[in-house]
Amino acid sequence: MTTEKKQIALFDITDAPDPRDKFGEIDLHSYDHYIVAISGGKDSVCCLLHLLENGVPRSKIELWHHRVDGGKDEPRVWDWPVTDAYLEALARAFELPLYYSWKVNGITGEMMRRNELTKPTCFEVPGGHTVTTGGNRGQESTRRMFPAISPDMSKRFCSSYTKIDVGSKALTGQTRFCNKRTLFITGERAEESANRSKYLRFEPHRSDRREGRLARHVDAWRPVLDWSEADIWACMKRWGVQPHPAYILGYSRCSCAYCIFGSANNFATLREIDAQGFHQMAAIEDELGHTMKHGASLHQVADAGKPYAAATPERVALAMGTTYDQPIIVSPDQWELPAGAYGVNDGPQ
Ligand code: SF4
């Protein structure tokens, strides 16, 4: 009988931890609260679906949407009008609570600051109440400019002030997260940009104080960080979840309609389907004497693009309306890939 000798590997790289994970892989079922930061975009929707596919109980999941235009009673400037209705339909379909949070006056308020403090933050809490916090400390300062098109969050203040900071304040402002373990889930994907490819998949959230007096344990998890766009659409199809109407119009990304990273085709389409909103944004450029895009006005950017052929009147009416009155979940056989799938990847970096 021959004895087969096997070389013992010095180390097995398949056992090596992902260097981007600080603590190795997550113990997914160890949390009391699972908060999905949901924009309505496909990646954040897939974060929710991934939790459900992994058996996280719905009773522990909540959806948080940071409104970029401030509260519901404030004018719409940046967002898709249908986003709230789309998210409310999604939350109803999965029987999950949806909480809104926002900075008063949204991105526009921060952008128009003139010798002022930054505005307060508001967030909805269980029981139907809204908490308002901040806005009375710090330094008076002036911006009078659009957020910079930059991965640097201190310059790209739209994301940092109206999303990241708002989410943190909503976590630190609720005692229900003290002495508890909370998982805060966001949908960044490495494929989207060089900057995002450097993100960690799992790390303590900036609001974490697990060693502190309040024992608030909060981890940040980016479960779709390594997913391809094909993985995302396959997940949406598996669940039959209809994508946000922006994708059906031909947009490859969905967050703010007037995202500062938008392409010429994005803006050419908006000028055609949302003349009032487009002129409102162009008038802000005139008022500030500062353009959203470097060296070109919004009209010049739109002139260089072409409206999406998929933006038919019926689809435009859905995206530009404030109701979502069609089934948000269909059978996977009926589910169709939207026109915006696999398009030019314009969006946050
Ligand atoms: S989607 Fe674009 S404009 Fe909106 S917050 Fe993010 S980076 Fe800013």
Side-chain angles (χ1 to χ4, degrees):
M1 192 171 99
T2 57
T3 310
E4 196 179 306
K5 280 198 174 169
K6 224 175 164 191
Q7 183 73 37
I8 299 171
L10 190 56
F11 58 82
D12 180 354
I13 55 164
T14 57
D15 287 343
D18 183 332
R20 290 170 308 175
D21 288 349
K22 259 187 186 158
F23 305 128
E25 207 32 274
I26 181 173
D27 181 2
L28 183 58
H29 292 276
S30 68
Y31 294 88
D32 303 292
H33 301 280
Y34 297 78
I35 297 167
V36 182
I38 196 154
S39 63
K42 62 188 189 314
D43 303 335
S44 60
V45 172
C46 282
C47 288
L48 165 64
L49 303 178
H50 188 60
L51 285 183
L52 297 173
E53 285 183 341
N54 281 282
V56 173
R58 290 184 195 203
S59 58
K60 293 186 176 181
I61 303 175
E62 47 196 272
L63 307 178
W64 285 15
H65 178 62
H66 309 310
R67 298 189 84 259
V68 290
D69 284 325
K72 282 203 171 197
D73 54 347
E74 300 195 62
R76 170 258 172 179
V77 183
W78 294 80
D79 213 353
W80 290 102
V82 76
T83 295
D84 287 353
Y86 174 79
L87 290 173
E88 285 161 20
L90 191 74
R92 261 196 312 277
F94 286 102
E95 299 177 347
L96 294 170
L98 169 65
Y99 299 108
Y100 290 112
S101 45
W102 62 94
K103 178 176 269 296
V104 171
N105 298 167
I107 298 174
T108 312
E110 186 57 30
M111 204 165 90
M112 304 306 257
R113 260 169 90 176
R114 193 201 302 262
N115 297 324
E116 285 173 85
L117 296 176
T118 191
K119 296 278 191 258
T121 295
C122 302
F123 51 89
E124 294 179 341
V125 298
H129 306 294
T130 299
V131 174
T132 301
T133 178
N136 48 7
R137 279 195 289 187
Q139 275 193 320
E140 291 184 349
S141 64
T142 299
R143 283 200 194 272
R144 308 290 297 168
M145 57 169 57
F146 279 88
I149 300 175
S150 159
D152 179 347
M153 293 287 182
S154 62
K155 298 186 181 130
R156 191 173 108 209
F157 57 83
C158 49
S159 313
S160 50
Y161 275 66
T162 67
K163 293 182 174 175
I164 297 168
D165 188 55
V166 167
S168 293
K169 287 203 163 74
L171 280 162
T172 55
Q174 299 186 61
T175 51
R176 67 191 178 103
F177 300 119
C178 299
N179 297 298
K180 292 279 191 277
R181 290 170 58 83
T182 299
L183 190 61
F184 193 81
I185 300 138
T186 53
E188 298 93 342
R189 284 191 305 116
E191 193 178 83
E192 292 174 304
S193 71
N195 185 49
R196 290 189 169 199
S197 70
K198 294 184 211 135
Y199 285 6
L200 293 168
R201 189 163 47 217
F202 181 54
E203 60 185 327
H205 188 265
R206 68 210 296 264
S207 66
D208 178 81
R209 296 289 182 276
R210 69 192 65 182
E211 306 294 348
R213 185 173 52 88
L214 302 173
R216 183 179 55 236
H217 183 124
V218 188
D219 286 324
W221 190 40
R222 301 182 177 95
V224 300
L225 191 66
D226 298 328
W227 290 28
S228 65
E229 184 172 349
D231 294 333
I232 293 284
W233 291 124
C235 179
M236 296 284 279
K237 182 177 167 70
R238 253 191 330 273
W239 285 82
V241 173
Q242 293 286 32
H244 185 288
Y247 295 111
I248 297 169
L249 293 180
Y251 285 74
S252 64
R253 296 287 306 266
C254 167
S255 192
C256 295
Y258 288 88
C259 178
I260 54 172
F261 292 98
S263 66
N265 289 347
N266 288 175
F267 287 108
T269 307
L270 280 165
R271 186 166 62 179
E272 192 166 279
I273 69 173
D274 179 28
Q276 198 187 337
F278 188 92
H279 288 292
Q280 172 175 253
M281 198 60 93
I284 295 176
E285 288 191 330
D286 292 342
E287 185 187 339
L288 295 177
H290 182 237
T291 53
M292 179 192 285
K293 300 284 196 180
H294 185 63
S297 70
L298 266 195
H299 276 290
Q300 288 168 327
V301 173
D303 288 345
K306 213 168 142 213
Y308 295 123
T312 60
E314 196 185 50
R315 292 169 174 171
V316 170
L318 181 63
M320 300 311 296
T322 52
T323 51
Y324 190 92
D325 51 7
Q326 44 187 270
I328 198 155
I329 307 220
V330 297
S331 116
D333 305 339
Q334 292 174 314
W335 188 93
E336 286 178 18
L337 196 64
Y342 304 111
V344 177
N345 207 4
D346 309 297
Q349 296 184 340

